[in-house]
């Protein structure tokens, strides 16, 4: 019932993913959501995020931040991380994902997406044919519209977890 909303994989955090293994599998680009995926909502770049992006560049990955936020939120983060970016990505539309892949010079088959929300991030990545990775949100405090979406996400996650146990 919810299969188009299921991530391909899930991890506790963006910082727990074995990116080297993905590179060995042929992935060359990573699209990232920003808020609650790389940093807390409306917060600046952290040293942890800077270290991650330096590591990713060292592995050989291209990166692109895609966000539904406006450019004043996305551009400073992307510049600090030395990453390409797409603002007003219109997630869950595939448009922003395609634009990000174009900027990185990758294809759906060679691109990963990492994000913390099912109804925007994961669904959009799935619609674009990109390998989707769901991570838990960094912060517990969120805007009210996101809190409401998280309650709906619970049903999808419950179904996803049952499917995972059957495999």
């Amino acid at each position: 019932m919810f299969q188009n909303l299921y991530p391909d994989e899930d991890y506790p955090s963006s910082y727990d993913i074995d990116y080297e293994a993905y590179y060995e599998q042929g992935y060359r680009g990573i699209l990232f959501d920003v808020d609650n995926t790389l940093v807390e909502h409306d917060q600046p770049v952290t040293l942890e995020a800077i270290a991650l992006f330096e590591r990713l560049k060292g592995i050989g990955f291209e990166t692109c931040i895609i966000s539904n936020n406006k450019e004043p939120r996305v551009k400073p983060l992307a510049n600090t991380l030395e990453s390409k970016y797409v603002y007003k990505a219109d997630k869950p539309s595939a448009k922003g994902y395609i634009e990000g892949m174009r900027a990185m010079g990758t294809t759906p088959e060679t691109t990963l997406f990492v994000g913390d929300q099912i109804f925007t991030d994961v669904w959009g990545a799935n619609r674009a044919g990109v390998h989707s990775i769901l991570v838990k949100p960094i912060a517990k405090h969120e805007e009210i519209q996101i809190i409401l979406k998280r309650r709906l996400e619970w049903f999808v996650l419950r179904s996803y977890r049952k499917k995972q146990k059957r495999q």
Side-chain angles (χ1 to χ4, degrees):
M1 178 173 167
F2 297 120
Q3 287 81 358
N4 60 342
L5 298 172
Y6 291 166
D8 292 307
E9 297 181 80
D10 64 296
Y11 286 85
S13 164
S14 300
Y15 302 99
D16 293 328
I17 298 170
D18 183 357
Y19 294 103
E20 289 83 359
Y22 286 107
Y23 194 84
E24 288 175 17
Q25 293 173 34
Y27 291 98
R28 295 299 180 260
I30 307 173
L31 300 166
F32 283 97
D33 175 51
V34 175
D35 288 324
N36 265 341
T37 298
L38 291 172
V39 298
E40 286 190 36
H41 187 76
D42 282 336
Q43 295 301 305
V45 171
T46 62
L47 293 175
E48 186 177 31
I50 292 169
L52 173 61
F53 275 66
E54 287 174 357
R55 176 179 153 213
L56 294 172
K57 285 183 191 88
I59 295 169
F61 277 111
E62 289 290 326
T63 61
C64 183
I65 293 170
I66 66 169
S67 175
N68 286 347
N69 279 305
K70 295 177 182 170
E71 191 172 25
R73 169 68 177 144
V74 182
K75 183 178 179 177
L77 291 162
N79 287 348
T80 301
L81 297 172
E82 298 178 5
S83 179
K84 295 163 179 64
Y85 68 95
V86 176
Y87 65 97
K88 289 187 179 179
D90 200 26
K91 296 183 284 182
S93 165
K95 176 186 81 151
Y97 297 81
I98 293 166
E99 189 177 334
M101 286 185 282
R102 190 175 304 122
M104 294 188 300
T106 61
T107 65
E109 296 78 25
T110 61
T111 305
L112 299 171
F113 175 80
V114 181
D116 71 299
Q117 291 188 55
I118 289 175
F119 296 119
T120 52
D121 297 334
V122 171
W123 189 22
N126 291 347
R127 292 173 80 186
V130 173
H131 187 88
S132 58
I133 299 175
L134 178 68
V135 295
K136 292 181 180 170
I138 292 173
K140 296 296 180 208
H141 60 278
E142 297 179 300
E143 295 175 346
I144 188 67
Q145 73 271 19
I146 295 173
I147 291 169
L148 295 173
K149 278 196 278 185
R150 296 271 185 224
R151 293 183 191 256
L152 294 173
E153 284 181 353
W154 181 85
F155 293 101
V156 177
L157 285 172
R158 185 176 72 176
S159 176
Y160 168 72
R161 300 270 185 247
K162 283 181 182 178
K163 177 188 167 239
Q164 294 299 97
K165 285 181 181 178
R166 287 191 301 262
Q167 291 181 346

